Amino acid sequence: MDLPINPFKAALRRSEPLYGIWAGFATPYAAEIIATTGYDWMLVDGEHAPNTVPTLLGQLQAVAPYATHPVVRAVHGDAVLIKQLLDAGVQTLMVPMVETAEQARALVQAMRYPPYGIRGVGGGLTRATRWDAVPDYIRTAHEQLCLIVQIESRLGVENAAEIAAVEGVDAVFIGPADLSTGMGHAGDASQPEVQDCIRRTIETTLAHGKACGILAPREEDARRYTDWGCRFVAVAIDISLMRQAAVANLARYRAPSQPAIVSTTY
Ligand SMILES: O=C(O)C(=O)C[C@H](O)[C@@H](O)CO
């Protein structure tokens, strides 16, 4: 069989925004539900959701029949973990808290086989090669792999030009929660100096010919960031959607301040 195409990587080169959703339930069942809803991509979160390599694998398998592309966020940029994730079939990898070009170059190396990098060869043991059904995987894998580095600190913003310029970095994703918190604003990305950092990072990334993405669950933020040039925007978080719907539904029957009455009898 042919090496599976990475439609997300190809779409990043086009101009229309790609709308994504954060998938935080860490189960294949919930991930599959999300994959049926029509978002362009979903962020399967290995950083803040309780995921491990096997749970991420299960979610990749669950969403494989659908058009929504799974972007997997690693808990950190360790080369050994990256090897396992790529072997499990991750095609698009996001790595949090990248602050220097040196870190970005190390991530590129971790995703490539020698002589271009340090990725170990799993061959027929791996889902990435479809257990050896894909011919010439070692020579061609890099064509369909996509690396997204997260810039989410003041240092990362300062080094954005050097990071975006690294060959093999396909896109930059801004983390507004960490960026604003690191700048002393406790998750409030609306602060002018945070907005300024976000805008500068988008402009710098685009100037280096790379795509830029961001998490923006509030509609006005999402629209502003796409106006500023963001190409892929996560406009929702599945866990928040469920909680908001549950709270709103209950509020139709009971005032929010009224305590829950737990009863085991009818
Ligand atoms: O800093 C950010 O913003 C992110 O990286 C996304 C958060 O980690 C996300 O988990 C918020 O729900």
Side-chain angles (χ1 to χ4, degrees):
M1 66 178 283
D2 291 337
L3 180 65
I5 297 292
N6 183 338
F8 180 84
K9 183 172 180 171
L12 281 182
R13 287 190 281 272
R14 296 198 284 269
S15 57
E16 317 83 64
L18 299 170
Y19 297 111
I21 180 166
W22 224 256
F25 282 104
T27 71
Y29 202 74
E32 186 173 4
I33 296 170
I34 291 299
T36 64
T37 57
Y39 286 87
D40 298 307
W41 58 282
M42 58 195 286
L43 190 286
V44 185
D45 196 353
E47 185 188 10
H48 288 301
N51 272 305
T52 58
V53 174
T55 65
L56 292 167
L57 168 63
Q59 290 165 86
L60 291 178
Q61 291 174 318
V63 306
Y66 305 95
T68 302
H69 181 75
V71 175
V72 171
R73 179 161 77 164
V75 65
H76 57 79
D78 175 68
V80 174
L81 174 63
I82 290 175
K83 173 170 57 181
Q84 284 193 300
L85 293 174
L86 299 188
D87 282 352
V90 171
Q91 285 189 306
T92 303
L93 181 74
M94 187 188 290
V95 178
M97 203 52 84
V98 175
E99 298 188 290
T100 64
E102 190 183 3
Q103 273 179 282
R105 274 192 291 274
L107 297 172
V108 175
Q109 291 258 305
M111 292 181 70
R112 294 189 176 169
Y113 289 116
Y116 308 104
I118 60 163
R119 181 177 173 190
V121 178
L125 276 182
T126 67
R127 180 172 179 266
T129 69
R130 298 304 185 268
W131 305 280
D132 254 358
V134 175
D136 219 12
Y137 179 81
I138 293 175
R139 276 185 231 284
T140 58
H142 66 281
E143 293 168 9
Q144 302 303 332
L145 293 179
C146 179
L147 172 62
I148 304 170
V149 297
Q150 267 198 277
I151 289 185
E152 45 185 352
S153 67
R154 208 190 277 273
L155 180 57
V157 171
E158 280 167 17
N159 290 328
E162 289 80 6
I163 293 169
V166 170
E167 189 275 325
V169 167
D170 295 290
V172 164
F173 190 89
I174 299 165
D178 276 308
L179 180 59
S180 55
T181 302
M183 292 174 71
H185 298 296
D188 181 4
S190 69
Q191 292 297 318
E193 65 165 343
V194 182
Q195 287 291 298
D196 180 57
C197 283
I198 290 174
R199 190 166 194 162
R200 282 195 289 120
T201 303
I202 296 169
E203 287 170 358
T204 304
T205 303
L206 299 187
H208 285 81
K210 305 289 170 72
C212 194
I214 196 164
L215 171 62
R218 286 175 5 140
E219 186 179 346
E220 62 266 40
D221 294 334
R223 294 198 183 281
R224 184 173 65 260
Y225 297 145
T226 45
D227 286 348
W228 289 355
C230 273
R231 188 77 49 76
F232 59 113
V233 181
V235 294
I237 300 173
D238 59 0
I239 289 181
S240 309
L241 292 180
M242 189 188 80
R243 187 167 192 286
Q244 286 155 11
V247 167
N249 191 55
L250 181 59
R252 291 163 58 206
Y253 303 98
R254 194 168 63 206
S257 57
Q258 204 178 323
I261 299 165
V262 179
S263 171
T264 52
T265 57
Y266 292 95

